[in-house]
Amino acid sequence: MAWQGVATEFLQVPAVTRTYTAACVLTTAAVQLELLSPFQLYFNPHLVFRKFQVWRLVTNFLFFGPLGFSFFFNMLFVFRYCRLLEEGSFRGRTADFVFMFLFGGVLMILLGLLGSLFFLGQALTAMLVYVWSRRSPRVRVNFFGLLTFQAPFLPWALMGFSMLLGNSILVDLLGIVVGHIYYFLEDVFPNQPGGKRLLLTPGFLKLLLDAPEEDPNYLPLPEEQPGPLQQ
């Protein structure tokens, strides 16, 4: 019964958050059960472009290390801030949210080549936290009951705590940089004199993921109008 309640609650989570969180958990479980090896998941340009192991472009964002405190810490932030974004500024804009993931993922891979980074899930988490924090500047955040501060300080607190866990500072910095690029292009530059939106979600994503908009000029057929039918 408890599992049914958890499953029901999880199914109420927005689709992108639910899918990404589940993929991360299942990937980690598969590694823990030795069904997969981290060596099959990490980002390796040679194996991607020479051996055509293209799945590594995705799987490197799904593995956060073995089960332990660091894994649950990352999953907590992934689930919470991905959901806050999807239910907040991206409500009703699933295609735009997925496009943010794609934009961030591609940019992280390109920049990650410079730093020889093999797993980028933590960078994606930092990006989600950064974008949420810049869009919620007046929200006060309680960081594990230890510190209370304004939301824009959260990515830096997260980076500091990640360092205490022994993680690389480069991964968090990469996520913050990519998050800032997205925030600037999406929220700042379009509102500047002469600015415009440069990040345009492809139409096929909107067609696949967003509900069709109602045409305000559409006139319903007589049989669709309320009241008795006129023969």
Side-chain angles (χ1 to χ4, degrees):
M1 296 297 292
W3 283 109
Q4 290 179 347
V6 172
T8 301
E9 184 70 22
F10 188 68
L11 289 175
Q12 294 176 356
V13 174
V16 177
T17 302
R18 184 172 68 243
T19 301
Y20 182 57
T21 304
C24 293
V25 172
L26 290 175
T27 301
T28 302
V31 172
Q32 197 73 16
L33 295 172
E34 299 184 353
L35 300 175
L36 291 174
S37 165
F39 294 105
Q40 297 173 290
L41 307 175
Y42 77 100
F43 176 63
N44 183 317
H46 174 78
L47 295 177
V48 171
F49 300 111
R50 298 284 182 87
K51 301 294 184 179
F52 304 108
Q53 297 181 7
V54 293
W55 65 83
R56 295 177 184 271
L57 295 173
V58 176
T59 57
N60 82 90
F61 289 100
L62 303 180
F63 184 64
F64 288 80
L67 287 177
F69 181 77
S70 180
F71 168 77
F72 289 108
F73 172 77
N74 279 293
M75 283 297 96
L76 173 66
F77 275 81
V78 165
F79 183 79
R80 175 171 175 77
Y81 292 98
C82 189
R83 184 175 185 176
L84 283 173
L85 280 173
E86 192 169 5
E87 293 182 338
S89 59
F90 286 99
R91 177 181 290 273
R93 299 168 53 216
T94 301
D96 292 337
F97 195 39
V98 170
F99 184 64
M100 186 191 81
F101 268 74
L102 295 174
F103 172 82
V106 170
L107 196 53
M108 285 174 197
I109 286 174
L110 294 176
L111 295 177
L113 290 171
L114 304 177
S116 298
L117 301 177
F118 304 119
F119 290 102
L120 297 172
Q122 188 177 320
L124 185 59
T125 303
M127 174 187 169
L128 294 171
V129 172
Y130 185 88
V131 173
W132 175 84
S133 70
R134 294 305 299 265
R135 289 182 171 180
S136 311
R138 298 182 180 178
V139 175
R140 292 189 62 80
V141 178
N142 187 298
F143 193 71
F144 291 109
L146 301 175
L147 299 170
T148 301
F149 43 75
Q150 299 295 113
F153 292 102
L154 181 59
W156 307 103
L158 178 62
M159 183 178 70
F161 195 75
S162 182
M163 289 176 59
L164 293 177
L165 296 177
N167 297 321
S168 170
I169 188 176
L170 289 177
V171 180
D172 290 280
L173 279 176
L174 175 61
I176 290 174
V177 168
V178 173
H180 183 73
I181 292 172
Y182 177 84
Y183 172 75
F184 177 80
L185 293 176
E186 184 70 9
D187 293 24
V188 178
F189 183 67
N191 297 316
Q192 300 297 314
K196 62 178 181 179
R197 286 195 66 191
L198 300 177
L199 299 180
L200 301 177
T201 303
F204 76 91
L205 281 180
K206 290 183 175 291
L207 187 64
L208 285 173
L209 301 173
D210 287 348
E213 296 182 2
E214 293 186 2
D215 185 354
N217 298 318
Y218 172 72
L219 294 177
L221 298 173
E223 59 267 25
E224 294 176 339
Q225 297 179 6
L229 281 175
Q230 302 295 323
Q231 300 295 334

